[in-house]
Amino acid sequence: MKGQQLRKTIKRYIQMNINKIHNMKKSTCIFLLATIFSANNLVAQQKRATAASDKKMNAFVTNLMSKMTLDEKIGQLNLPAVGFDVTGPILSEGVDEKIEKGLVGGVFNTFTPQAVRKLQELAITKSRLKIPLLFGYDVIHGHKTIMPIPLGLSASWDLSLIEKSARIAAREASADGLNWTFSPMVDIARDPRWGRIAESSGEDPYLGSLIGAAMVRGYQTNDLANKDAILACVKHFALYGAAEAGRDYNTTDMSLIKMYNEYLPPYKAAIDAGAETVMASFNDINGTPATANKWLLTDLLRNQWGFKGFVVSDYTGINELTAHGLGDLKTVSAKSLEAGTDMDMVGEGFLTTLKQSLQEKKITQAVIDLACRRILESKYKLGLFANPYKYIDEERAKTEILSQKNRSDAKMIAEASMVLLKNNNQLLPLKKNAKIALIGPLADNKRDMIGNWSAAGDWKLAISVLEGLKNAAPDMDITYAKGANLVDDPAILKQINANGAEIVADEKSPEKLISDAVSAAKKADIAVVVLGESAIMGGEATSRTNLDLLPNQKELLKALAATGKPIVLVLMNSRPLTLEWEDANIPSILETWFSGTEAGNAIADVLVGNYNPAGKLTATFPRNVGQIPLYYNHKSTGRPYDGVSNEKFKSRYIDSSNDPLYPFGYGLSYTSFEISPVKLNRNTMTSAQTIQATVEVKNTGGYDGEEVVQFYIQDIYGSVTRPVKELKGFQKVFLKKGESKSVTFTINNSMLKFYNSDLKFASEPGDFNVFIGANSRDTKSSGFSLTK
Ligand code: NOJ
C-alpha cells in the first residue's frame, strides 16, 4: 500500500475507533504508532522520489523546448479530429502534412494499432523533433466491450464495479492505440430534458465525486507509465449540466455558493484523484464562457485546486466564443490561452492566430511556453518519449479487446445497473414455465443496446432481449411481436435519422403492429414489453421538452394493458422519463437504461431471477416536465408544502404534486428489507469527536439480495440556507433471506462542512438530523448537536 493510502486507512481506523482508544491494548497502540511512523516514512520517500522524477522530467522538457521553434510550440497546442467518428460540426483537414511539420500535438477519433501507427510514424519519422502524438477518443462507457451508459452505471452504487468498468475500457482502448479518453464526465445533472444526463452520474455531488474519482483511478491506474494506463479527462469544466432549460450548449448562471457546494465537488474530486487533463465546457458561466474564463481555469483550477495537467477546449469551443460574442477568432484564441486553455480541439484558432497575437504583444511567449510545457509533460508521464509506440501492440489488441472475460464482466456490471421501479404481486421474476409474449420495438433489437456515445462499440455484437431470454431460459415459451415502430413522431424521426438513426417504418401499418401484439399478449400468460427511446435520442445535442414514452409506444402499451394480461414493462432510455400513467397502470417496471454489449443477457437474467436487481436511481424521476428541475437535495423555501393541505400560500403547484414519481436513491428488489430506527451512540459531538449512527437491516423476503443503505444529514439551521438533506454515505449490503446485519455510519466534522457566504469551508455548531433508509424519501431519522 502506498504511504498516502496507508495514512488514510489509519486515519479512518482511528476515527472509527476513537471511542475505544482509551481501552485499547498497549500492543495495539504500539502497532498503530509504528504503522503511522512507517506510513510517514513512506510518504517522505515517495515525495523525494516524485521530486527527483519531476526534476528529470523538467530537465527533459526544458531541453526539448529549447530546440523548438515558435510554430512547433504552437503546434503542440493543436488537436485535430481525424478518423472514424464525427463528434462535432466540422472536420480537420491536411492533418498528415501538419503532423510532418510538427504542427499537431495529438489527434482524436483514430484508433486501431494500424491506424495509430501510421500517424505516430509520421510524427516520429517525418517531423523535425520527433515529438510523439497523443491519441484521444471518447471512450465513455467502454471501448469495444460496451457497458451501461454512465447514468446506468452510477445506479449500481458500486464504486469498485465502476472503477472496474473504467479499467476494462482503458485496457481495451490502450490495446487499440489510444492513450487519452475524454472521460469521466462529472457534470451534476438535474435536468432530464438535457440529453447528456445520460453521460452523467446524476444529481448528487457526493456520489458524483466518488464516481468521478473511481473512474480516474480506473483509467489512469496508479502510474501513467503502465502500459494499459490512459489519460483521463475531467469534463465539462464547469457547470455544463446546469444549461438553462435543459437545452444543450445553453448558458449557465449560478451563485458561487451553489457552485462550490453543489456543482464543483465532483470536478475537484476527480482532479484530487490525479486526473491529468480537464476539458473546458462550451457554456457561458456568469458572463464568461468557460473556455475563456480565467477565474475558472487558472484561479480556481490551478491556483486553488493545484491542478498540474493540461486543459483542452471542447470541439471548436474556442471558435464558438465568437458566436458567444467575445470577439473575432484572433481575439478569442488569445483570451482562451490567457485564461488557461492549453489545447485547441479542432478549431485551429491557436494554430492560425497565436503567432500574430504574440507579434502584436497581445499575449506573451511565456503563456505559449507554459501551455506547450504542460502538454509535453503529460506525454512524458505516459512514457511516450521513451516509447512512442507504447500503445501499439497488435497481439495485445487481439487478446484484450472483447475478450470473454470482458464480456462477462460487462454483463455483471449491466445487471448491477438495473433498477426495479415497481413489482406488484411479485410478477417478476418470471416463472420459467410461463408463456411469454415478448413485445416492443426494443425487444428484438441489437442496434440500440449499446446506447449513445458507444465509442468503437459494434452494435452487431450486442445481445438482444429476445436472444438473452433464449440463453437464460432455453425452454421458455416465447412469442415475439414488434408492436410499434421505435419512433413514429415525424419531428424526432427527421432529427435523429439525419444523425444516423436509420429508423425505417415497418412494412405493417401501426394499427396492424398493435393488433398483432395484442393477439400475442392474449395468447400468453404474461406480456413483457420492451419500450423506450432510440439510443440516438440521448447524449449530446438531444434535449427534449417532452419526456413521456413516445406516443405510438404509449398507444401500444395502453392496448396491451386493456387485454387485462399482466404486463412487465422493460424500459430502455438515456434519461429519467415521465411515467405517471405507466406507474398507475402497469404492475411491473424494470429500468435497464442502455446497458451495453451484454444488455440482452443481463436483462434476461434479471427477468428470470438469476440476478436479483439492486440498482438505485441517481437522478430523480419527475412526474411531469413542469416539475423540472427536481432533485432531492433542494432547499426548503420559507413556505414548504406538507404535501397534504389545501392551504394556498405554500410553495406548490395547483395542478401537480411537488413530489417526484421515483425519488433519488429509489429501487426495489425481489426480496424485501426492513431497516430499523436509527441508533446514535451519543447525541452531541465536538468537531474533534465522532458519532456512530447504526441501523439493523433485515432481509424479510423470499430471496437473497442486496440493499443500498443510504445515509443523509440535514443541517437544520445555518448561517446560510442548507439543503433539506444531503447524502453523506452509503453501504451496499448483501443479505441472505432472513439474515440481519447492522450497518454503521460514522458522523465526523468534515462531513458537516459547507461553503458559507464568504466561501469558507467550515461546519457550524448546531442541530442536525440524520436520515437512514433505502432511498432519499423513505428514511428513519434521529438527531444530534455539534458543539464548539
Ligand atoms: C464534444 C463533446 O462535448 C465532448 O464531450 C467530446 O469529448 C468532444 N466533442 C470530442 O468528441
Side-chain angles (χ1 to χ4, degrees), residues 168-180:
I168 294 170
R171 285 205 325 265
E172 289 199 352
S174 62
D176 216 14
L178 296 164
N179 48 38
W180 186 17

Side-chain angles (χ1 to χ4, degrees), residues 155-161 412-413 415-418 420 610-616 665 667-675 697-700 703-710 731-737 739 741 774:
S156 70
W157 293 59
D158 187 329
L159 297 172
S160 62
L161 268 194
M412 177 176 80
I413 295 168
E415 287 167 351
S417 74
M418 289 172 197
L420 185 63
N610 294 343
Y611 179 87
N612 184 356
K616 301 275 185 172
L668 305 172
S669 163
Y670 293 154
T671 192
S672 50
F673 298 97
E674 235 171 64
I675 301 185
V697 187
K698 183 165 190 209
N699 181 341
T700 51
Y703 298 83
D704 299 347
E706 287 171 296
E707 178 62 297
V708 180
V709 185
Q710 301 160 39
Q731 289 180 39
K732 194 168 184 176
V733 288
F734 173 80
L735 294 168
K736 290 195 158 302
K737 51 184 169 189
E739 194 187 357
K741 270 186 191 158

Side-chain angles (χ1 to χ4, degrees), residues 87 108 138 182 196 235-236 279 282 314 345 453 540:
T87 52
F108 74 104
D138 289 287
F182 302 134
R196 301 199 80 170
K235 70 187 191 185
H236 304 84
M279 187 183 293
F282 284 124
D314 203 340
M345 187 189 283
W453 273 125
E540 188 172 355

